[in-house]
Amino acid sequence: MKLVDECVVEFKAGNGGNGVVAWRREPHNPYGGPYGGDGGDGGNIIVVGDHNINDLLHLKNLKRIKACNGENGATKLASGKKGESNIIHVPLGTVIFDQSTGNKIIEILKHGETKIICNGGKGGHGNAWFANPQNKIPNLYENGDIGESLKVKLVVKYMSDVGLIGLPNAGKSTLISAITSSRPKIANYEFTTLNPVLGVCEYKNTKMIIADIPGLISGASEGKGLGHEFLKHIERCTILVHVISLDTNDTVDIQKAYQTIVNELKKYNIDLLKKPILFVANKSDCSSAELQLKKLKKVIKNEDILVISAKNKTNINEVIEKIYTTFIKTKQNDSKQQNQKKVKIIELKKQTDIKDQLEIKQIDEHTWEVKSKYLEYWANRIPLKTNDNIIRFNNKIKSLDVENKIKKLGGIKGDTLIIYDNEMVID
């Protein structure tokens, strides 16, 4: 079965519950005051890294994933129950992108790592929340906020320590089966390996995860032959092992074969060439091996070439030793560089004011439509079903000087003002 390493899904957090207007009415206290409780917060959409999951098959056919809404408040100051969050488990190495912009939101790299993708809406206040010495009997209440929604693309970039790369038929599958316990499908045709195959090589008390990256071809960086599907899995490898076949039946022009892989890595992401790369010439048991190796050394001049036969396990121990020493050295260098980096603490300013530029549109001679994020928020938050709420919403409009701005555009007293689903008259 093909691993599912990409999917698109819409996340929708729960809406906040509504507050209520209620009054305390008891025989011994007939005018007990406001008694309405607040609505509960909506549930969040939460993503959690899980090392027990290998792909996104469980999400592939889901178009929309929702969290629960918060419950409405009730009388006797009872607050609504908070909506249950929806917790989504994803493989380690999952990157989540905003589908509309392509921007990366987060990436999950550790088991148990938890991120909130969409926040649930805050519950609306009941009338008891608005009581104060100046207004002891408020007829005010709020709807809950709408929960955040976002359409995202999830991409799994499999995490491994060592990535085996090379053209089809280079012998990567045979090599990984020789140095790990992995037993991939092996055959003599292009794209035998349709998914990255992971194996574990344990050497000198160190476990190294080795990935057999599916065979690349010329044009892979542009997506040819599922190129992007394969190349993305190389990005997180600590070191790369470039496997090249010495058999002329696989590689007629061995210099071109080497250069093809280098070019595709460069085109896809030039930083891949900055990773430590070991060169392994495979199939040394072939009659053409000696001549092909001489040709290969002409293009790989300043690097050692490990000559092996993965099939016969010739020089396999030398390959494991070289992979181990390179991996350990690279990890140590990376650790030193991380320690030398200065940690920058960036304090994010909270957005406490959502007032923004008004969009005023004349619908007809005496009708005006007004939009803004600020008014959209309060139009949803304040239901115009009590006089106190109507007064409160009018104050929000006045704070933006809406009526005077419309009058400057030609509006007059008595014109209709449309603010989302609400209609009002200009004084």
Side-chain angles (χ1 to χ4, degrees):
M1 181 181 293
K2 188 179 188 300
L3 288 173
V4 178
D5 56 14
E6 288 189 9
C7 71
V8 175
V9 65
E10 182 182 359
F11 290 147
K12 174 65 175 70
N15 299 332
N18 300 331
V20 297
V21 170
W23 306 98
R24 186 174 184 178
R25 293 289 184 263
E26 298 171 345
H28 64 279
N29 191 5
Y31 303 104
Y35 219 26
D38 300 339
D41 295 341
N44 302 320
I45 296 291
I46 302 172
V47 172
V48 178
D50 191 336
H51 60 199
N52 296 310
I53 298 176
N54 294 322
D55 67 357
L56 302 171
L57 180 62
H58 59 300
L59 303 177
K60 180 183 178 183
N61 297 319
L62 300 179
K63 293 183 179 179
R64 200 173 199 226
I65 296 176
K66 298 169 61 178
C68 295
N69 296 332
E71 292 183 354
N72 295 335
T75 188
K76 297 184 179 180
L77 304 179
S79 296
K81 185 179 178 182
K82 184 177 181 179
E84 186 175 349
S85 294
N86 198 330
I87 300 175
I88 301 151
H89 293 261
V90 297
L92 305 189
T94 298
V95 186
I96 301 178
F97 299 91
D98 185 327
Q99 177 70 355
S100 62
T101 65
N103 294 332
K104 183 172 75 173
I105 302 172
I106 58 161
E107 55 185 327
I108 303 294
L109 302 176
K110 298 178 181 178
H111 177 70
E113 186 175 359
T114 303
K115 301 285 187 181
I116 297 176
I117 304 299
C118 293
N119 289 287
K122 295 294 182 182
H125 294 300
N127 66 331
W129 188 85
F130 292 95
N132 58 59
Q134 289 73 40
N135 187 359
K136 296 182 179 181
I137 50 172
N139 204 16
L140 292 164
Y141 73 104
E142 295 174 330
N143 290 331
D145 290 342
I146 297 173
E148 295 176 342
S149 62
L150 186 66
K151 194 170 187 179
V152 299
K153 182 177 183 179
L154 295 92
V155 178
V156 181
K157 296 181 179 179
Y158 291 102
M159 302 176 66
S160 59
D161 301 314
V162 182
L164 305 184
I165 60 173
L167 290 175
N169 302 330
K172 301 186 306 301
S173 296
T174 307
L175 178 58
I176 196 173
S177 66
I179 62 179
T180 74
S181 58
S182 175
R183 294 295 177 265
K185 178 182 177 183
I186 300 172
N188 191 33
Y189 53 88
E190 289 195 357
F191 301 110
T192 301
T193 309
L194 296 180
N195 301 293
V197 175
L198 301 181
V200 177
C201 176
E202 189 167 357
Y203 185 71
K204 293 184 179 179
N205 297 320
T206 299
K207 289 184 177 180
M208 298 174 289
I209 299 175
I210 299 180
D212 170 14
I213 308 297
L216 302 178
I217 61 173
S218 181
S221 57
E222 284 81 38
K224 185 177 179 182
L226 301 178
H228 282 164
E229 299 295 315
F230 301 157
L231 280 162
K232 67 186 177 188
H233 298 303
I234 301 175
E235 294 183 79
R236 287 212 173 95
C237 297
T238 303
I239 66 173
L240 301 177
V241 176
H242 186 170
V243 184
I244 307 167
S245 174
L246 296 174
D247 190 343
T248 51
N249 292 321
D250 303 326
T251 311
V252 176
D253 188 337
I254 197 168
Q255 295 178 345
K256 183 179 179 182
Y258 158 79
Q259 198 61 49
T260 295
I261 299 300
V262 173
N263 290 342
E264 294 311 315
L265 295 181
K266 185 185 298 184
K267 289 176 185 177
Y268 181 75
N269 184 350
I270 196 168
D271 288 339
L272 294 177
L273 295 178
K274 296 178 182 178
K275 293 179 179 290
I277 302 177
L278 304 180
F279 297 97
V280 173
N282 189 27
K283 305 186 182 181
S284 60
D285 52 316
C286 296
S287 59
S288 58
E290 187 175 348
L291 179 59
Q292 290 284 72
L293 182 60
K294 288 181 180 179
K295 293 179 181 179
L296 185 60
K297 288 182 177 179
K298 290 181 180 179
V299 289
I300 306 178
K301 298 178 180 179
N302 300 320
E303 300 287 346
D304 293 333
I305 300 176
L306 300 170
V307 182
I308 69 165
S309 171
K311 180 180 178 181
N312 299 329
K313 296 191 176 181
T314 305
N315 294 333
I316 289 298
N317 290 337
E318 286 80 352
V319 170
I320 295 174
E321 173 67 28
K322 186 65 175 180
I323 289 174
Y324 168 79
T325 55
T326 305
F327 171 69
I328 293 298
K329 183 178 179 180
T330 304
K331 293 291 285 185
Q332 290 174 345
N333 289 339
D334 289 345
S335 179
K336 289 180 181 179
Q337 290 176 6
Q338 289 296 327
N339 293 334
Q340 290 173 356
K341 287 182 180 179
K342 293 182 179 179
V343 179
K344 293 183 179 180
I345 301 175
I346 301 174
E347 184 178 351
L348 299 177
K349 294 182 179 179
K350 294 182 179 180
Q351 187 175 354
T352 56
D353 190 355
I354 59 172
K355 293 182 181 180
D356 60 313
Q357 187 172 357
L358 290 172
E359 180 185 334
I360 300 175
K361 181 180 179 181
Q362 187 171 9
I363 304 299
D364 57 37
E365 187 177 357
H366 296 293
T367 305
W368 303 81
E369 182 180 37
V370 180
K371 291 184 178 181
S372 80
K373 290 181 181 179
Y374 179 79
L375 291 177
E376 182 180 15
Y377 174 82
W378 287 111
N380 172 74
R381 187 80 174 176
I382 304 175
L384 304 185
K385 295 182 179 180
T386 68
N387 286 333
D388 284 3
N389 272 11
I390 292 172
I391 292 171
R392 187 180 181 213
F393 187 63
N394 280 336
N395 288 335
K396 301 295 182 184
I397 297 172
K398 289 179 181 178
S399 70
L400 300 181
D401 201 24
V402 172
E403 291 188 356
N404 287 332
K405 289 177 180 178
I406 290 177
K407 287 177 181 179
K408 289 180 181 180
L409 295 173
I412 60 174
K413 183 178 180 180
D415 281 0
T416 299
L417 180 61
I418 299 175
I419 301 178
Y420 296 93
D421 293 330
N422 303 316
E423 288 192 11
M424 315 187 80
V425 177
I426 297 177
D427 294 333

